[in-house]
Amino acid sequence: MVVNGGFMEMDCNSLILLAEVRAVNKIIFKAIHGFREVERLHWSPDSSAILQRVRDKAFPPGETQLSLVHVLDLQKDGYIKPHVDSVKFCGSTIAGICLLSSSVMRLVSVDNPEERADLLLPRRCLYVMSGVARYKFTHEILRGEESFFNGVPVPRERRISVICRNLPAS
């Protein structure tokens, strides 16, 4: 698991992406509470350039990626319960930009629940999950009242993540 804290500049790049993810659809998914999501294929040229930076940073050259970009809009009181991603929906790597709010992601070993790590995902960071972190650990976004990193509260607001994925192995 890699977190790149300074990925998004302080300029309008965040707003460019945010403007495009406002109209998302509500669906029901048991692991996520208080959210809306959509998968998008078409982006503005400016947003496409940002997404290309994500892809260049997260995936090796020639890696086949899903063309649809997953956008997850988590309400201030929303959270993501512990889960392991399904291999039928995406491959070995996901790369996400965390917008609007910082959050804490908790990883817990599937084999040994005592083996765990809390990761700070600062606002505008790029996070990349691959390998063991994807399939041997559950991951979750903590509720606001549980969001502490090294004993310090991490205030939670609405969080949007824009996620690129590679194709699952056939």
Side-chain angles (χ1 to χ4, degrees):
M1 176 85 181
V2 176
V3 178
N4 182 340
F7 188 77
M8 296 290 289
E9 297 90 18
M10 291 292 293
D11 63 15
C12 65
N13 286 346
S14 297
L15 297 175
I16 293 166
L17 281 169
L18 288 176
E20 296 190 35
V21 298
R22 295 279 184 208
V24 292
N25 302 317
K26 281 193 174 186
I27 69 164
I28 298 172
F29 182 60
K30 292 179 183 177
I32 309 175
H33 295 270
F35 76 104
R36 301 178 297 171
E37 71 176 354
V38 69
E39 289 187 316
R40 296 217 28 195
L41 180 59
H42 301 290
W43 297 83
S44 73
D46 288 337
S47 294
S48 292
I50 294 168
L51 292 170
Q52 190 58 51
R53 284 183 54 219
V54 170
R55 294 175 189 282
D56 291 345
K57 188 85 170 168
F59 301 100
E63 178 85 31
T64 307
Q65 298 165 39
L66 292 169
S67 54
L68 292 171
V69 175
H70 185 212
V71 180
L72 180 64
D73 183 348
L74 198 58
Q75 298 169 3
K76 180 178 180 173
D77 61 348
Y79 60 97
I80 301 174
K81 291 171 33 178
H83 68 285
V84 175
D85 292 328
S86 171
V87 294
K88 66 182 175 180
F89 296 117
C90 58
S92 62
T93 303
I94 63 168
I97 302 171
C98 185
L99 301 174
L100 296 183
S101 178
S102 298
S103 58
V104 177
M105 178 182 281
R106 176 168 291 155
L107 302 175
V108 178
S109 170
V110 172
D111 298 325
N112 178 7
E114 298 300 315
E115 188 178 348
R116 60 179 46 217
D118 285 349
L119 305 167
L120 178 64
L121 301 181
R123 183 173 157 236
R124 292 189 299 271
C125 78
L126 169 67
Y127 59 96
V128 180
M129 287 183 63
S130 61
V132 173
R134 291 268 295 128
Y135 301 116
K136 298 292 185 184
F137 285 78
T138 63
H139 58 278
E140 64 185 296
I141 297 293
L142 300 180
R143 300 173 193 233
E145 62 271 15
E146 300 171 332
S147 289
F148 287 83
F149 185 73
N150 290 336
V152 177
V154 177
R156 275 277 316 278
E157 297 297 330
R158 178 177 169 219
R159 174 184 184 260
I160 293 177
S161 50
V162 180
I163 304 164
C164 298
R165 305 170 290 183
N166 62 349
L167 284 172
S170 48

